[in-house]
Amino acid sequence: MGLCTSDQHGECVRQGPLFGQMLVNDGISLTKLWFSVTQSEQRTRFTIRQVDPVRQWKLSSTDLASLDKWDGYTAAKEDMFALTDTDIAPWTVVKSNDKKRARTNAIRNVLGKFDYATTDRKVLVDLTPTLSAHLSHSPL
């Protein structure tokens, strides 16, 4: 789409894992989520955005131009995962055709990584089947 040069892209995927490592080394918990939709669902969402006045602001010319580049975007995403998915900062793919379920499971996933005063481990364990049905960990 011409949003960056090949050199800029290469620098980004080279520096990304290093930056993630620096954050984790400083004690920051890093969670990388990729919300994934099917091509059919993406087309449906864009169609709705074209006709719904409340959602029209969500649709850009870049979105529309991307529709014919699905395979290229998929290849770029897979390359990005291969270059930036690390043990210290892995990607978590959230299947998100169902937006509400995806958001809820992503929140559950993040909250489940931390202990806090009111953590109820029994509840988190009970969520595991729900998470595994909707979340997968890369590498993909």
Side-chain angles (χ1 to χ4, degrees), residues 31-61:
T31 301
K32 298 186 309 193
L33 302 172
W34 181 274
F35 288 80
S36 181
V37 297
T38 61
Q39 185 175 22
S40 172
E41 178 63 20
Q42 189 70 5
R43 286 186 182 277
T44 299
R45 290 179 185 181
F46 285 178
T47 300
I48 291 168
R49 290 173 188 171
Q50 285 178 316
V51 298
D52 183 348
V54 175
R55 297 182 189 177
Q56 284 178 351
W57 68 271
K58 290 182 170 185
L59 188 64
S60 71
S61 57

Short mmCIF file of all heavy atoms in Angstrom, two decimals, residues 31-61:
data_model
loop_
_atom_site.label_atom_id
_atom_site.label_comp_id
_atom_site.label_asym_id
_atom_site.label_seq_id
_atom_site.Cartn_x
_atom_site.Cartn_y
_atom_site.Cartn_z
N THR A 31 2.08 -8.18 26.23
CA THR A 31 1.13 -9.10 25.61
C THR A 31 0.84 -8.56 24.22
O THR A 31 0.39 -7.44 24.07
CB THR A 31 -0.18 -9.19 26.42
OG1 THR A 31 0.13 -9.65 27.74
CG2 THR A 31 -1.16 -10.13 25.78
N LYS A 32 1.11 -9.39 23.22
CA LYS A 32 0.85 -8.98 21.83
C LYS A 32 -0.34 -9.78 21.32
O LYS A 32 -0.30 -11.01 21.24
CB LYS A 32 2.09 -9.24 20.96
CG LYS A 32 3.30 -8.45 21.41
CD LYS A 32 4.49 -8.56 20.48
CE LYS A 32 4.91 -9.93 20.11
NZ LYS A 32 6.23 -10.00 19.46
N LEU A 33 -1.42 -9.07 21.00
CA LEU A 33 -2.64 -9.69 20.52
C LEU A 33 -2.85 -9.34 19.06
O LEU A 33 -2.71 -8.18 18.66
CB LEU A 33 -3.85 -9.21 21.32
CG LEU A 33 -3.81 -9.46 22.83
CD1 LEU A 33 -4.98 -8.75 23.51
CD2 LEU A 33 -3.84 -10.95 23.12
N TRP A 34 -3.23 -10.32 18.27
CA TRP A 34 -3.59 -10.12 16.87
C TRP A 34 -5.03 -10.59 16.73
O TRP A 34 -5.33 -11.76 16.91
CB TRP A 34 -2.69 -10.93 15.94
CG TRP A 34 -3.02 -10.72 14.51
CD1 TRP A 34 -3.96 -11.39 13.76
CD2 TRP A 34 -2.43 -9.77 13.62
NE1 TRP A 34 -3.98 -10.92 12.49
CE2 TRP A 34 -3.05 -9.91 12.37
CE3 TRP A 34 -1.43 -8.80 13.77
CZ2 TRP A 34 -2.71 -9.14 11.27
CZ3 TRP A 34 -1.09 -8.03 12.69
CH2 TRP A 34 -1.73 -8.20 11.45
N PHE A 35 -5.93 -9.65 16.45
CA PHE A 35 -7.34 -9.98 16.27
C PHE A 35 -7.55 -10.37 14.81
O PHE A 35 -7.38 -9.55 13.91
CB PHE A 35 -8.22 -8.81 16.67
CG PHE A 35 -8.26 -8.59 18.15
CD1 PHE A 35 -7.24 -7.92 18.80
CD2 PHE A 35 -9.32 -9.09 18.90
CE1 PHE A 35 -7.26 -7.74 20.18
CE2 PHE A 35 -9.35 -8.91 20.28
CZ PHE A 35 -8.31 -8.23 20.91
N SER A 36 -7.90 -11.62 14.57
CA SER A 36 -7.98 -12.17 13.23
C SER A 36 -9.43 -12.40 12.82
O SER A 36 -10.21 -13.00 13.55
CB SER A 36 -7.22 -13.51 13.21
OG SER A 36 -7.26 -14.07 11.93
N VAL A 37 -9.78 -11.92 11.63
CA VAL A 37 -11.10 -12.16 11.07
C VAL A 37 -10.94 -12.86 9.72
O VAL A 37 -9.90 -12.74 9.07
CB VAL A 37 -11.93 -10.87 10.87
CG1 VAL A 37 -12.22 -10.19 12.19
CG2 VAL A 37 -11.27 -9.93 9.90
N THR A 38 -11.96 -13.56 9.30
CA THR A 38 -11.94 -14.20 8.00
C THR A 38 -12.19 -13.14 6.92
O THR A 38 -12.72 -12.06 7.19
CB THR A 38 -13.03 -15.28 7.89
OG1 THR A 38 -14.30 -14.67 8.06
CG2 THR A 38 -12.82 -16.39 8.93
N GLN A 39 -11.82 -13.47 5.71
CA GLN A 39 -12.03 -12.53 4.59
C GLN A 39 -13.52 -12.24 4.41
O GLN A 39 -13.90 -11.09 4.18
CB GLN A 39 -11.43 -13.12 3.31
CG GLN A 39 -11.48 -12.17 2.14
CD GLN A 39 -10.78 -12.73 0.91
OE1 GLN A 39 -10.60 -13.94 0.78
NE2 GLN A 39 -10.39 -11.85 0.02
N SER A 40 -14.33 -13.25 4.55
CA SER A 40 -15.78 -13.07 4.41
C SER A 40 -16.32 -12.11 5.46
O SER A 40 -17.12 -11.21 5.16
CB SER A 40 -16.47 -14.43 4.52
OG SER A 40 -17.86 -14.28 4.56
N GLU A 41 -15.90 -12.28 6.72
CA GLU A 41 -16.36 -11.41 7.79
C GLU A 41 -15.87 -9.98 7.57
O GLU A 41 -16.61 -9.02 7.81
CB GLU A 41 -15.88 -11.93 9.14
CG GLU A 41 -16.26 -11.05 10.33
CD GLU A 41 -17.76 -10.93 10.57
OE1 GLU A 41 -18.53 -11.78 10.08
OE2 GLU A 41 -18.17 -9.95 11.25
N GLN A 42 -14.64 -9.82 7.10
CA GLN A 42 -14.11 -8.48 6.85
C GLN A 42 -14.93 -7.77 5.77
O GLN A 42 -15.26 -6.60 5.90
CB GLN A 42 -12.64 -8.54 6.45
CG GLN A 42 -11.96 -7.19 6.39
CD GLN A 42 -11.78 -6.57 7.76
OE1 GLN A 42 -12.06 -7.17 8.80
NE2 GLN A 42 -11.30 -5.36 7.78
N ARG A 43 -15.26 -8.48 4.72
CA ARG A 43 -16.08 -7.89 3.66
C ARG A 43 -17.46 -7.49 4.19
O ARG A 43 -17.98 -6.43 3.86
CB ARG A 43 -16.23 -8.85 2.48
CG ARG A 43 -14.97 -8.96 1.65
CD ARG A 43 -15.20 -9.81 0.39
NE ARG A 43 -13.99 -9.94 -0.38
CZ ARG A 43 -13.53 -9.05 -1.24
NH1 ARG A 43 -14.21 -7.95 -1.44
NH2 ARG A 43 -12.41 -9.26 -1.89
N THR A 44 -18.04 -8.36 5.03
CA THR A 44 -19.35 -8.04 5.63
C THR A 44 -19.26 -6.78 6.47
O THR A 44 -20.11 -5.89 6.38
CB THR A 44 -19.84 -9.23 6.49
OG1 THR A 44 -20.00 -10.37 5.64
CG2 THR A 44 -21.15 -8.91 7.17
N ARG A 45 -18.23 -6.67 7.29
CA ARG A 45 -18.06 -5.49 8.14
C ARG A 45 -17.90 -4.22 7.30
O ARG A 45 -18.48 -3.18 7.62
CB ARG A 45 -16.87 -5.65 9.08
CG ARG A 45 -17.11 -6.68 10.16
CD ARG A 45 -15.89 -6.85 11.04
NE ARG A 45 -16.10 -7.93 11.99
CZ ARG A 45 -15.22 -8.28 12.90
NH1 ARG A 45 -14.06 -7.66 13.00
NH2 ARG A 45 -15.48 -9.28 13.73
N PHE A 46 -17.12 -4.31 6.24
CA PHE A 46 -16.92 -3.13 5.38
C PHE A 46 -18.22 -2.74 4.69
O PHE A 46 -18.52 -1.56 4.54
CB PHE A 46 -15.82 -3.39 4.35
CG PHE A 46 -14.42 -3.37 4.92
CD1 PHE A 46 -13.35 -3.63 4.10
CD2 PHE A 46 -14.17 -3.10 6.26
CE1 PHE A 46 -12.05 -3.61 4.59
CE2 PHE A 46 -12.87 -3.09 6.76
CZ PHE A 46 -11.81 -3.34 5.92
N THR A 47 -19.00 -3.73 4.25
CA THR A 47 -20.29 -3.44 3.61
C THR A 47 -21.23 -2.73 4.57
O THR A 47 -21.87 -1.73 4.22
CB THR A 47 -20.93 -4.75 3.09
OG1 THR A 47 -20.06 -5.35 2.14
CG2 THR A 47 -22.28 -4.48 2.45
N ILE A 48 -21.29 -3.21 5.80
CA ILE A 48 -22.14 -2.57 6.81
C ILE A 48 -21.68 -1.14 7.07
O ILE A 48 -22.49 -0.22 7.17
CB ILE A 48 -22.15 -3.40 8.12
CG1 ILE A 48 -22.89 -4.73 7.88
CG2 ILE A 48 -22.76 -2.62 9.27
CD1 ILE A 48 -22.73 -5.74 9.00
N ARG A 49 -20.38 -0.94 7.13
CA ARG A 49 -19.84 0.40 7.38
C ARG A 49 -20.16 1.37 6.25
O ARG A 49 -20.30 2.57 6.47
CB ARG A 49 -18.33 0.34 7.61
CG ARG A 49 -17.98 -0.32 8.92
CD ARG A 49 -16.50 -0.53 9.08
NE ARG A 49 -16.23 -1.33 10.28
CZ ARG A 49 -15.06 -1.83 10.59
NH1 ARG A 49 -14.03 -1.64 9.80
NH2 ARG A 49 -14.92 -2.55 11.69
N GLN A 50 -20.30 0.86 5.03
CA GLN A 50 -20.62 1.73 3.90
C GLN A 50 -22.04 2.27 3.99
O GLN A 50 -22.30 3.39 3.56
CB GLN A 50 -20.45 0.97 2.58
CG GLN A 50 -19.00 0.78 2.19
CD GLN A 50 -18.86 0.00 0.91
OE1 GLN A 50 -19.53 -1.01 0.70
NE2 GLN A 50 -17.98 0.47 0.04
N VAL A 51 -22.96 1.49 4.56
CA VAL A 51 -24.37 1.90 4.58
C VAL A 51 -24.86 2.41 5.92
O VAL A 51 -25.89 3.08 5.99
CB VAL A 51 -25.29 0.75 4.09
CG1 VAL A 51 -24.96 0.38 2.66
CG2 VAL A 51 -25.19 -0.47 4.99
N ASP A 52 -24.17 2.10 6.99
CA ASP A 52 -24.59 2.51 8.34
C ASP A 52 -23.96 3.86 8.68
O ASP A 52 -22.74 3.95 8.86
CB ASP A 52 -24.17 1.46 9.35
CG ASP A 52 -24.65 1.76 10.77
OD1 ASP A 52 -25.11 2.88 11.03
OD2 ASP A 52 -24.53 0.86 11.62
N PRO A 53 -24.78 4.92 8.80
CA PRO A 53 -24.21 6.24 9.07
C PRO A 53 -23.45 6.32 10.40
O PRO A 53 -22.53 7.13 10.53
CB PRO A 53 -25.42 7.16 9.09
CG PRO A 53 -26.62 6.31 8.99
CD PRO A 53 -26.21 4.92 8.66
N VAL A 54 -23.78 5.47 11.35
CA VAL A 54 -23.09 5.49 12.63
C VAL A 54 -21.69 4.87 12.51
O VAL A 54 -20.79 5.22 13.27
CB VAL A 54 -23.93 4.73 13.70
CG1 VAL A 54 -23.20 4.61 15.02
CG2 VAL A 54 -25.27 5.40 13.89
N ARG A 55 -21.51 3.98 11.55
CA ARG A 55 -20.23 3.28 11.41
C ARG A 55 -19.38 3.77 10.24
O ARG A 55 -18.27 3.30 10.06
CB ARG A 55 -20.48 1.79 11.23
CG ARG A 55 -21.14 1.16 12.44
CD ARG A 55 -21.32 -0.31 12.23
NE ARG A 55 -22.15 -0.87 13.29
CZ ARG A 55 -22.53 -2.12 13.36
NH1 ARG A 55 -22.16 -2.96 12.43
NH2 ARG A 55 -23.28 -2.54 14.35
N GLN A 56 -19.90 4.69 9.45
CA GLN A 56 -19.16 5.14 8.27
C GLN A 56 -17.78 5.69 8.61
O GLN A 56 -16.85 5.55 7.82
CB GLN A 56 -19.97 6.17 7.48
CG GLN A 56 -21.09 5.53 6.70
CD GLN A 56 -21.93 6.53 5.94
OE1 GLN A 56 -21.80 7.73 6.11
NE2 GLN A 56 -22.82 6.02 5.11
N TRP A 57 -17.63 6.31 9.76
CA TRP A 57 -16.34 6.88 10.14
C TRP A 57 -15.26 5.81 10.27
O TRP A 57 -14.07 6.09 10.17
CB TRP A 57 -16.46 7.65 11.46
CG TRP A 57 -16.75 6.76 12.64
CD1 TRP A 57 -17.98 6.38 13.11
CD2 TRP A 57 -15.79 6.13 13.49
NE1 TRP A 57 -17.84 5.53 14.18
CE2 TRP A 57 -16.50 5.37 14.45
CE3 TRP A 57 -14.40 6.13 13.54
CZ2 TRP A 57 -15.87 4.62 15.43
CZ3 TRP A 57 -13.78 5.38 14.53
CH2 TRP A 57 -14.52 4.64 15.47
N LYS A 58 -15.67 4.54 10.47
CA LYS A 58 -14.70 3.46 10.64
C LYS A 58 -14.09 2.99 9.32
O LYS A 58 -13.12 2.25 9.32
CB LYS A 58 -15.37 2.25 11.29
CG LYS A 58 -15.76 2.42 12.73
CD LYS A 58 -16.37 1.11 13.22
CE LYS A 58 -16.57 1.11 14.70
NZ LYS A 58 -17.03 -0.21 15.15
N LEU A 59 -14.67 3.40 8.19
CA LEU A 59 -14.25 2.90 6.89
C LEU A 59 -13.40 3.95 6.17
O LEU A 59 -13.83 5.07 5.97
CB LEU A 59 -15.47 2.55 6.05
CG LEU A 59 -15.22 1.84 4.74
CD1 LEU A 59 -14.60 0.47 4.98
CD2 LEU A 59 -16.52 1.69 3.96
N SER A 60 -12.19 3.56 5.80
CA SER A 60 -11.29 4.49 5.11
C SER A 60 -11.03 4.01 3.68
O SER A 60 -11.31 2.86 3.33
CB SER A 60 -9.96 4.59 5.86
OG SER A 60 -9.23 3.39 5.70
N SER A 61 -10.46 4.88 2.89
CA SER A 61 -10.10 4.49 1.52
C SER A 61 -9.04 3.38 1.55
O SER A 61 -9.02 2.51 0.68
CB SER A 61 -9.61 5.70 0.74
OG SER A 61 -8.52 6.30 1.41
#
